[in-house]
């Protein structure tokens, strides 16, 4: 009973009054009597009901109704033309309904007041028509409340109402404002296909069961500020013509806004989604605000159209944030936001200049279209940019410090990232991208796939961009040691070498499949990156990619001829393609040593040949003619490896290095040894100088 102790503010009968309950029955007097309709004598009740006509005003505040009593009252007001009850001004404030309260198809031509009414059983208002205001403020529905197909022409007030059973408002029509502020829905609440022509107020409403607003139409403002949805929430296909306010709302179960349309502004700032949130294919014509929203489960915005500005500043995603195929027509700033999973922007389209600030474990931008300039500032993320399309400058940069909100507010909390190892931004793939307008700053490219990238030679690398390295430790291949000189290399080369039959340990298997990429495909990639480094005046970096290009040509059995591969093998073995000074020095030292040994053994003559003069003295005197000659140098005998012979051989060798003739007396073999050394040693010296220059020049 709504008035157990204090008497109601109207004349009421005192039936059942006791010392503990002096007020007795709170029912208002029937006109001309001192008892309510429930406690009126039978003859007096029949007289009263007989005197009623369709459309009469009635006042039965506080009256306890049984199903039979209510049926009798409504039958007395039934219109013969429609065979449906018709009430004028109807006042049931504080009334109680013990059984089924059947107001189905009843027409209320005046105001209908059910404030603080208590419905113990089912409250049946299916098809009811409220021409005036309908007030259910503070009403208690212990059973199901059925308002399906009901028509509310005036104000519909359900503020503070308690729906313990199911609340059914399917296809109900609210022409005026509808106010469910602070209402409590313990059972399921169903407003499917309901039409709210005026303001729909659900501020502070609590939905313990499922709340279904599928295909509901909100022509006025929809106010769900501070509403709490404990069960599953469905706004699938709902249409919001006015503003939709879900600020600080709490969705404990899954929330589905799929195919919903928001013609006005949609405000979800500081809302909490504990379950999955699905906004797939929704349309936001006005501004969409998701600032400070906390998504614990998956957040789906696939195919969403943001036709005005949208804000995710300070938003937090506990799982994946899916924006595949989303359209950001006028979004100038996306984030800063934090995502524990992946931010999936594959297939999305950005129509205007955009700045994205994202701290996430992964960012997927496969086939994303950027129709204006864009800047992606990232933390922690591994980025897949495969087949992204952009015709204007686009920058991907790593941010070392946490993102700060606008107006200097505190940094965005990154707790959902858990034990993320570091803030390094790693590129996973640039395949299919036209890199003519791409700038990468301070990103890790050690696992990036480049094969298939267009205009890679125009890629700009700023800051400290890291590439993969060759294996650093020495390994054994059969009987000989193998050790690679440190250089920048591509992930695809790691993958290709790791799959070779005689691969040595240390080559990494990249996370993504590289497909059928081998030396023939990697050589032009290295060539393009070399040009990019040369254009940025980074000669040491360009040298690394030149080395990689030559390596791929040397191993390419498709586009490189056998002769060319042989020359490349020799070039590699002698000086590492003119880039390994130590290798060229080794060969120069070895050649000089061999030259010295050969000269000491076979090239230096035994003694310096003496000059001899021969001639004929004519008889009787006269002019004498002499021929001065020198004997052929003789091959040494005995001990050939003496200090004197070493000094002579060393002089010959050193002169050969600088392409000079020594002038020493050499044997025939020594002459050929010197000629050979004068050809090979200057070349090796030149390769050494070239290698040093390539490593230090700028």
């Amino acid at each position: 009973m709504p008035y157990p102790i204090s008497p109601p503010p109207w004349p009421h009968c005192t039936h059942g009054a006791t010392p503990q309950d002096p007020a007795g029955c709170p029912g208002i007097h029937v006109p001309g009597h001192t008892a309510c309709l429930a406690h009126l004598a039978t003859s007096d009740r029949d007289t009263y009901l007989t005197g009623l006509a369709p459309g009469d005003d009635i006042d039965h505040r506080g009256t306890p109704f049984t199903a039979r009593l209510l049926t009798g009252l409504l039958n007395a007001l039934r219109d013969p033309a429609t065979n449906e009850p018709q009430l004028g001004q109807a006042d049931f404030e504080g009334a109680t309904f013990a059984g089924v309260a059947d107001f189905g198809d009843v027409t209320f031509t005046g105001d209908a007041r059910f404030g603080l009414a208590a419905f113990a059983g089912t409250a049946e208002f299916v098809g009811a028509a409220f021409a005036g205001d309908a007030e259910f403020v503070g009403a208690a529905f212990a059973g199901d409340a059925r308002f399906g197909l009901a028509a509310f022409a005036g104000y519909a007030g359900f503020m503070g109402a308690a729906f313990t059973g199911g609340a059914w408002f399917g296809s109900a029509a609210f022409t005026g404002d509808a106010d469910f502020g602070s209402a409590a829905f313990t059972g399921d609440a169903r407003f499917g296909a309901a039409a709210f022509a005026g303001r729909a107020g659900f501020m502070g409403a609590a939905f313990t069961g499922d709340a279904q607003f599928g295909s509901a139409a909100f022509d006025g403002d929809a106010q769900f500020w501070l509403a709490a949805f404990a069960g599953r929430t469905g706004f699938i296909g709902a249409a919001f013509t006015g503003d939709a306010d879900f600020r600080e709302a709490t969705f404990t179960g899954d929330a589905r806004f799929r195919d919903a349309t928001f013609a006005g502004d949609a405000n979800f700032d500081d809302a909490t989604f504990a379950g999955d949130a699905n906004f797939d294919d929704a349309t936001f014509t006005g501004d969409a605000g998701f600032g400070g929203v906390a998504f614990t489960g998956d957040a789906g915005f696939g195919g969403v159209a943001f036709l005005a500005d949208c804000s995710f500043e300070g938003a937090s995603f506990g799982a994946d944030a899916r924006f595949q195929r989303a359209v950001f027509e006028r979004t100038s700033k996306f984030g800063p936001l934090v995502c524990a999973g992946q931010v999936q922007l594959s297939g999305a389209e950005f129509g205007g200049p955009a700045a994205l600030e994202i701290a996430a474990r992964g960012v997927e931008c496969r086939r994303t279209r950027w129709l204006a300039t864009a800047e992606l500032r990232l933390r922690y993320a591994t980025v897949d940019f495969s087949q992204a399309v952009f015709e204007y400058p686009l920058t991907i940069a790593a941010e070392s410090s946490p993102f700060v909100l606008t107006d200097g507010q505190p940094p965005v909390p990154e707790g959902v990232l858990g034990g993320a190892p570091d803030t390094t931004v790693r590129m996973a793939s640039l395949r299919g991208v036209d890199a003519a307008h791409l700038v990468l700053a301070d990103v890790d490219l050690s696992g990036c796939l480049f094969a298939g990238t267009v205009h890679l030679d125009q890629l700009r690398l700023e800051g400290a961009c890291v590439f993969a390295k060759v294996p650093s430790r020495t390994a054994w291949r059969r009987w000989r040691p193998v050790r690679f000189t440190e250089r920048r290399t591509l992930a695809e080369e790691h993958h290709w070498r790791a799959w070779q039959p005689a691969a040595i340990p240390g080559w990494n298997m990249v996370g993504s499949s590289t497909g059928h990429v081998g030396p023939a495909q990697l050589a032009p990639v290295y060539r393009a990156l070399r040009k990019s480094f040369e254009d940025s005046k980074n000669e040491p970096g360009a040298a690394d990619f030149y080395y990689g290009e030559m390596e791929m040509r040397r191993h390419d059995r498709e586009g490189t001829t056998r002769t060319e591969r042989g020359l490349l093998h020799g070039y590699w073995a002698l000086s590492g393609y003119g880039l390994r000074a130590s290798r060229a020095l080794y060969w120069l030292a070895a050649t000089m040593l061999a030259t010295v040994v050969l000269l000491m053994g076979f090239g230096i003559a035994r003694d310096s040949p003496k000059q001899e003069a021969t001639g004929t003295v004519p008889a009787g005197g006269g002019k004498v003619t002499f021929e001065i000659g020198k004997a052929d140098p003789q091959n040494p005998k005995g001990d050939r490896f003496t200090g004197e012979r070493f000094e002579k051989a060393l002089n010959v060798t050193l002169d050969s290095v600088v392409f000079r003739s020594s002038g020493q007396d050499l044997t025939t073999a020594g002459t050929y040894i010197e000629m050979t050394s004068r050809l090979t040693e200057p070349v090796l010296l030149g390769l050494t100088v070239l290698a040093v220059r390539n490593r230090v020049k700028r």
Side-chain angles (χ1 to χ4, degrees):
M1 296 289 291
Y3 305 99
I5 303 297
S6 300
W10 55 74
H12 61 284
C13 74
T14 57
H15 184 273
T18 64
Q20 293 77 23
D21 184 10
C25 175
I28 192 170
H29 295 171
V30 174
H33 300 276
T34 59
C36 67
L37 184 61
H39 299 114
L40 199 62
T42 303
S43 58
D44 293 337
R45 183 188 304 126
D46 292 341
T47 301
Y48 168 73
L49 294 177
T50 303
L52 294 176
D56 282 352
D57 296 340
I58 58 172
D59 185 355
H60 293 288
R61 288 172 287 176
T63 302
F65 281 93
T66 63
R68 182 177 179 180
L69 179 61
L70 179 61
T71 300
L73 175 63
L74 296 179
N75 284 337
L77 297 166
R78 194 174 299 276
D79 186 354
T82 61
N83 199 32
E84 301 294 346
Q86 182 175 320
L87 286 67
Q89 189 88 7
D91 199 336
F92 291 91
E93 183 179 353
T96 60
F97 300 88
V100 175
D102 191 354
F103 288 89
D105 296 317
V106 172
T107 300
F108 298 87
T109 58
D111 293 341
R113 297 189 177 95
F114 289 85
L116 296 175
F119 298 86
T122 301
E124 190 73 50
F125 287 85
V126 175
F130 299 88
D133 294 342
E135 297 181 3
F136 289 84
V137 177
F141 298 88
D144 290 342
R146 301 179 183 274
F147 287 84
L149 297 173
F152 298 86
Y155 170 77
F158 288 85
M159 293 179 297
F163 297 87
T164 304
W168 308 84
F169 287 83
S171 300
F174 298 85
T175 305
D177 293 344
D179 200 338
F180 288 81
S182 301
F185 298 85
T186 304
D188 293 343
R190 300 189 181 277
F191 289 82
F196 298 87
R199 178 181 59 85
F202 289 85
M203 292 181 294
F207 298 85
T208 304
D210 294 344
Q212 299 298 329
F213 290 82
S215 300
F218 299 87
D219 293 336
D221 292 344
Q223 299 174 338
F224 289 86
W225 181 36
L226 288 173
F229 300 87
R232 292 176 298 177
T233 305
F235 284 85
I236 298 174
F240 298 86
T241 304
D243 294 342
D245 188 351
F246 287 86
R247 286 175 297 163
E248 300 182 58
T250 302
F251 300 86
T252 304
D254 294 343
R256 296 182 176 89
F257 288 82
R258 190 174 65 248
D259 294 310
T261 57
F262 298 85
D265 293 341
N267 194 336
F268 288 84
D269 288 349
D270 298 314
T272 300
F273 293 85
D276 293 341
N278 190 327
F279 287 82
D280 289 349
D281 299 311
T283 301
F284 294 86
T285 304
D287 293 342
F290 289 87
V293 175
F295 297 92
T296 302
D298 287 339
F301 290 85
V304 171
F306 295 101
L307 303 183
D309 193 22
C310 74
S311 172
F312 284 86
E313 184 176 12
S316 173
F317 296 83
D320 290 343
R322 298 183 292 102
F323 291 88
Q324 303 99 322
R325 302 177 292 103
V327 175
F328 300 87
E329 188 168 300
R330 293 191 301 170
T331 300
S332 60
K333 187 175 182 181
F334 184 76
L337 60 84
V338 178
C339 180
Q342 293 197 350
V343 177
Q344 301 172 357
L345 292 165
S346 297
E349 180 179 304
F350 289 83
L356 286 73
E357 295 181 340
I358 300 172
R361 292 186 182 275
V363 176
E364 291 184 1
C365 294
R366 293 193 294 266
R367 298 178 300 279
T368 305
R369 295 179 59 85
W370 312 83
L371 304 183
T373 57
E375 180 182 22
L376 282 75
R377 305 199 69 82
L378 309 174
R379 287 169 58 80
Y380 302 99
T382 297
V383 186
D384 188 347
F385 226 66
S386 302
Q387 299 176 339
V389 179
F390 48 94
E391 300 178 1
Y392 297 88
L394 187 147
T395 301
I396 301 176
E399 185 70 25
S400 59
S401 302
F403 296 116
V404 178
L405 299 177
T406 55
D407 301 328
Q409 297 181 30
V412 180
E414 298 178 345
V416 296
L417 290 167
D422 53 55
T423 62
T424 303
V425 176
R426 298 172 175 83
M427 293 298 299
S429 176
L430 286 173
R431 287 188 169 182
V433 171
D434 186 342
H437 303 286
L438 181 60
V439 179
L440 302 178
D442 299 314
V443 298
D444 186 343
L445 298 170
S446 59
C448 185
L449 305 181
F450 286 97
T453 306
V454 182
H455 294 146
L456 192 56
D457 58 322
Q458 300 179 41
L459 173 67
R460 286 182 55 192
L461 301 177
E462 303 287 347
C465 291
V466 180
F467 284 85
K469 302 293 185 181
V470 296
S472 57
R473 61 193 183 92
T474 302
W476 288 87
R477 180 179 291 165
R478 298 176 184 170
W479 53 270
R480 61 186 179 90
V482 177
R483 188 180 186 279
F484 294 90
T485 305
E486 183 177 348
R487 65 179 172 92
R488 298 174 180 88
T489 185
L490 299 181
E492 285 104 330
E493 181 180 349
H494 271 260
H495 186 268
W496 172 75
R497 288 185 182 272
W499 279 98
Q500 298 306 301
I504 66 171
W507 294 104
N508 298 327
M509 301 289 290
V510 296
S512 303
S513 174
T514 58
H516 301 289
V517 175
Q521 292 76 31
L522 291 179
V525 176
Y526 273 113
R527 187 179 306 117
L529 286 173
R530 171 175 62 87
K531 185 177 184 301
S532 174
F533 273 75
E534 288 174 345
D535 292 342
S536 63
K537 307 303 180 183
N538 187 345
E539 294 295 342
D544 283 347
F545 289 102
Y546 172 74
Y547 192 100
E549 175 192 356
M550 300 298 283
E551 278 287 273
M552 294 302 99
R553 289 177 57 194
R554 183 167 69 93
H555 290 285
D556 180 15
R557 297 183 176 275
E558 301 175 11
T560 307
T561 64
R562 185 189 298 265
T563 302
E564 185 178 353
R565 289 202 308 274
L567 292 173
L568 290 173
H569 272 85
Y571 194 18
W572 165 77
L574 289 176
S575 64
Y577 312 112
L579 296 173
R580 300 295 181 255
S582 59
R583 193 177 304 178
L585 281 173
Y586 166 80
W587 282 109
L588 176 60
T591 304
M592 292 175 64
L593 178 61
T595 301
V596 169
V597 172
L598 290 174
L599 287 174
M600 291 176 65
F602 307 100
I604 303 297
R606 179 180 59 187
D607 296 309
S608 296
K610 300 288 190 286
Q611 289 186 341
E612 296 179 353
T614 60
T616 304
V617 178
K623 186 178 180 179
V624 178
T625 301
F626 293 94
E627 290 183 2
I628 301 175
K630 186 163 58 174
D632 293 335
Q634 300 298 312
N635 288 323
K637 295 180 180 179
D639 189 3
R640 305 183 182 190
F641 298 96
T642 64
E644 181 183 357
R645 293 176 62 80
F646 172 76
E647 183 179 358
K648 291 183 178 181
L650 182 60
N651 288 333
V652 174
T653 303
L654 292 177
D655 286 336
S656 298
V657 171
V658 294
F659 211 72
R660 292 175 53 192
S661 175
S662 64
Q664 296 278 354
D665 292 318
L666 302 176
T667 64
T668 302
T671 301
Y672 285 105
I673 293 172
E674 183 187 31
M675 292 171 59
T676 303
S677 66
R678 289 179 64 188
L679 175 65
T680 58
E681 290 169 4
V683 172
L684 293 173
L685 179 61
L687 290 175
T688 302
V689 175
L690 176 65
V692 173
R693 179 179 181 275
N694 285 334
R695 302 308 299 183
V696 300
K697 73 176 181 178
R698 283 290 185 269

